[in-house]
């Protein structure tokens, strides 16, 4: 790996990097450290627009643990693709780089790595990476929008700017990001450019996004369900398609929180194909064992109110509404008077609290985008597009969407490092 503090060698090949986000900044720095003359083009007035707001401004840089454990969080195809790059520029390398730039990091109990608490940590990380690139000799131009690619395989000749100017180079690195958060300038148009050149691509799709519901519950806004699992079914009463064991929080239009974000891609895919239904398992205990526990409570506390017992498992605001569901016993009924059918309904509520049908998950609201350049079209060690001598892609432009927890920034850093090598 190139030492963090070395000076660039005399300039030779010209490398044009398009996009000054997380992957683009790392790619430009690495290329400059390798001796290239690097021009970094950014459409926004400031580099790193999306990086500056990552993690709510706190910037979840990466995830702690061995590289293999980090890889295990990704889908199998994505993990196989990322293996060479994460070993070449690992989560520990990211932390060491940040330390060399004066940004110390810490790991939370859940393994997420952040800069030590300070106001606007994400902005500090962005400025540190911009400074690193500039000190390495990178020429940064902002307010420059690329609108197309010029050339035919195997050689890209130039990128075309919005003002009609062509910028030529010896090698090109596209780090233009995905299609989420368009207010940060990510429009996803470069996927169409590559598709026009014959590159295999998957259309953009939402990932790590809140899930709207057909029948939302705005009165529950801010209420969380914790310690259970969000379940996705192929229609009400259908087979379970996916499950994610984390919390959710109700919003005015649906649900958010770690579990909702994690399943948003699968939810939207199933919703488009057929029917989808969501519920939340408040307890992981099997139905039979839970029934035994309830029967034991009936014996020991026969005068306990049903609503009091239910509030052990769910917030009071939801428990109050739950008693309006079909088959539920009266809230003021005592456990000793609970009938077998009512007991079954009550237990079913705990193992599958109904959330209902999801509506369209919005791409623009995702933390990242699913879709992008198909991984089979990219060399996983260099990020070179197969069939091209001088064109590489990295970051969110690749069809990679890891879970919440710093995984996507790590993928951006690692693939950017490989692209700049």
């Amino acid at each position: 790996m190139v030492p963090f503090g070395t000076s660039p060698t005399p300039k030779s090949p010209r490398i044009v990097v398009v996009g000054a986000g997380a992957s683009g900044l790392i790619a430009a720095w690495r290329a400059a450290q390798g001796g290239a003359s690097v021009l970094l083009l950014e459409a926004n007035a400031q580099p790193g627009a999306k990086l500056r707001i990552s993690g709510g401004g706190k910037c979840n840089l990466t995830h702690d643990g061995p590289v293999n454990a980090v890889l295990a969080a990704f889908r199998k195809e994505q993990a196989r693709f990322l293996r060479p790059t994460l070993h070449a520029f690992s989560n520990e390398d990211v932390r060491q780089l940040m330390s060399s730039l004066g940004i110390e990091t810490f790991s939370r109990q859940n393994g997420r790595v952040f800069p030590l608490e300070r106001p606007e940590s994400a902005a500090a990380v962005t400025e540190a990476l911009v400074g690193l690139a500039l000190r390495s000799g990178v020429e940064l131009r902002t307010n420059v929008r690329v609108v197309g690619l010029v050339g035919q395989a195997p050689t890209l000749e130039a990128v075309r700017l919005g003002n009609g100017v062509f910028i030529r180079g010896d090698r090109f690195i596209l780090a233009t990001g995905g299609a989420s958060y368009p207010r940060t300038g990510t429009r996803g148009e470069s996927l169409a450019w590559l598709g026009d050149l014959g590159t295999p691509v998957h259309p953009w799709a939402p990932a790590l996004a809140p899930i709207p519901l057909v029948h939302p519950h705005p009165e529950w806004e801010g209420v969380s369900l914790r310690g259970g699992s969000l379940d996705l079914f192929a229609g009400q009463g259908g087979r379970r398609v996916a499950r994610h064991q984390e919390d959710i929080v109700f919003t005015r239009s649906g649900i958010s929180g770690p579990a909702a974000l994690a399943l948003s891609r699968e939810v939207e895919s199933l919703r488009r194909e057929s029917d989808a239904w969501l519920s939340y398992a408040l307890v992981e205990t099997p139905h039979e064992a839970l029934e035994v526990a309830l029967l034991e409570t009936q014996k020991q506390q026969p005068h306990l109110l049903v609503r009091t017992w239910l509030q052990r498992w769910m917030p009071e605001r939801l428990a109050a509404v739950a008693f309006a569901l079909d088959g539920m016993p009266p809230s003021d009924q005592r456990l000793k008077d609970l009938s077998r059918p009512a007991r079954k309904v009550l237990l079913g509520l705990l193992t599958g609290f109904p959330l209902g049908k999801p509506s369209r998950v919005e791409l623009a609201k995702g933390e990242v985008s699913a879709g992008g350049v198909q991984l089979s079209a990219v060399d996983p060690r260099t990020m070179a597009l197969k069939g091209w001598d001088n064109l590489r892609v990295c970051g969110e432009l690749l069809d990679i969407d890891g879970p919440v927890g710093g995984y996507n920034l790590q993928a951006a850093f690692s693939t950017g490092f490989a692209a700049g090598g």
Side-chain angles (χ1 to χ4, degrees), residues 280-298 306 309-310 313-314 323 326-329 335 338-354:
Y280 192 83
L282 290 151
V283 295
E284 301 294 336
T285 308
H287 191 282
E288 296 77 10
L290 192 61
E291 185 171 24
V292 169
L294 176 54
L295 289 170
E296 185 62 27
T297 304
Q298 279 183 297
V306 172
W309 181 84
L310 188 60
W313 308 99
M314 69 171 59
F323 286 104
D326 290 342
M328 283 288 287
L335 288 187
L338 196 61
S339 67
R340 184 175 181 180
R343 186 170 65 241
K344 184 177 180 180
V345 172
L346 193 62
L347 295 175
L349 190 68
L350 297 185
T351 56
F353 183 83

Side-chain angles (χ1 to χ4, degrees), residues 198-220:
T199 301
V201 300
H202 287 132
W204 294 123
L208 301 187
I211 301 174
L213 297 173
V214 172
H215 300 293
H217 298 278
E219 70 276 14
W220 295 348

